[in-house]
Amino acid sequence: AITGATSYELFMGSTTSFTNPILVTNTSTTSFTGNFELGTYLKVRACNVAGCSALSAVSAATKYHDSCD
């Protein structure tokens, strides 16, 4: 957790260069579980009433869950 942060924004991108990232969620918790495909890259930033921080370093998603039909 970041001192003073009231929310966190999680972004995903399809490359490590992170062009055109997509906002996945804005949450007040520091924990997020989602189903991302391998090859998805994630960044997070902390926000408060003054604004948001720079995006974190990129992290590659790992396979969390496979579903079967």
Side-chain angles (χ1 to χ4, degrees):
I2 303 296
T3 302
T6 55
S7 66
Y8 297 89
E9 293 180 341
L10 178 68
F11 292 85
M12 71 176 199
S14 58
T15 65
T16 55
S17 63
F18 229 71
T19 52
N20 302 315
I22 298 167
L23 177 64
V24 175
T25 189
N26 182 324
T27 180
S28 61
T29 67
T30 58
S31 177
F32 178 80
T33 302
N35 292 326
F36 297 102
E37 293 297 321
L38 291 175
T40 299
Y41 298 92
L42 303 167
K43 288 187 178 187
V44 66
R45 67 182 178 184
C47 300
N48 62 23
V49 294
C52 295
S53 68
L55 289 169
S56 68
V58 69
S59 178
T62 57
K63 196 75 164 182
Y64 173 71
H65 177 73
D66 277 327
S67 61
C68 298
D69 293 331

